[in-house]
Amino acid sequence: MSTHRVNPAAPDEAYLRFWQEHHLCTLTTLRPDGSPHVVPVGVTYDPEAGLARVITDGASAKAAHVRAAGPDGARVAVCQVAGRRWATLEGRGRVRTEPEKVGEAERRYAGRYGRTPRENPTRVVIEITVERALGRG
C-alpha cells in the first residue's frame, strides 16, 4: 500500500491502479484574488509522460484561472478519495487546444471512465505537469 509521498514518475502498483479506477476527482485552481476554486472533474494520470489531464470547456472558470497564470502555467492540484485511500497530484497546469492533445485526453478519459465524452467543439485539456504525488493507494 502506498503511503504519503509517491514518486510521480514511478508510482507503486497500488497507487497507479487507484488512478485507473473510476473515481470522481477534484481540481483546485486559484482565482485572481488567490482564493481556491475547487470543482469536481474526471482526471487521467500518465506517469510515463509526467502528466495528469482534465478535459473541460474552454470557457470554464477552471480554464480561465489556468490561462490567467500565463505561459509558465498555474499551480494546480487534483485529488481523489475513496475510503482510506487517497491520492493527490500537484504541478503546473496549462490549457492546451491542439486537436491531437484534446483527442488524447478524450481517449484516456473514455478509457478510465468507460464512456466517450459528449461532443464539445470548444473542449480544451488542462495538462498538468506533475511535480509532486502524495497518497495512499
Side-chain angles (χ1 to χ4, degrees):
M1 181 178 276
S2 298
T3 57
H4 309 296
R5 287 195 179 271
V6 175
N7 179 344
D12 66 50
E13 198 57 40
Y15 192 82
L16 184 57
R17 194 169 43 255
F18 186 41
W19 277 106
Q20 294 167 342
E21 296 169 3
H22 187 289
H23 294 288
L24 185 62
C25 304
T26 60
L27 168 70
T28 302
T29 59
L30 298 177
R31 295 181 180 101
D33 68 2
S35 64
H37 175 74
V38 183
V39 293
V41 295
V43 177
T44 61
Y45 176 35
D46 180 0
E48 291 177 1
L51 296 173
R53 296 174 177 93
V54 175
I55 57 174
T56 188
D57 190 276
S60 68
K62 57 188 155 291
H65 298 155
V66 171
R67 273 193 209 95
D72 289 338
R75 301 286 310 157
V76 301
V78 290
C79 183
Q80 65 182 19
V81 178
R84 295 180 58 123
R85 298 182 306 156
W86 63 276
T88 299
L89 302 172
E90 301 174 2
R92 294 264 173 199
R94 293 170 182 83
V95 174
R96 305 300 298 260
T97 59
E98 303 92 329
E100 66 277 5
K101 298 281 188 180
V102 175
E104 176 69 6
E106 290 171 332
R107 183 185 69 74
R108 288 177 178 275
Y109 177 95
R112 180 174 188 194
Y113 292 100
R115 67 177 186 83
T116 302
R118 66 175 171 75
E119 190 69 28
N120 181 352
T122 59
R123 177 170 290 131
V124 298
V125 58
I126 298 173
E127 276 190 351
I128 303 163
T129 303
V130 179
E131 299 169 353
R132 182 182 302 157
L134 304 166
R136 182 187 310 255

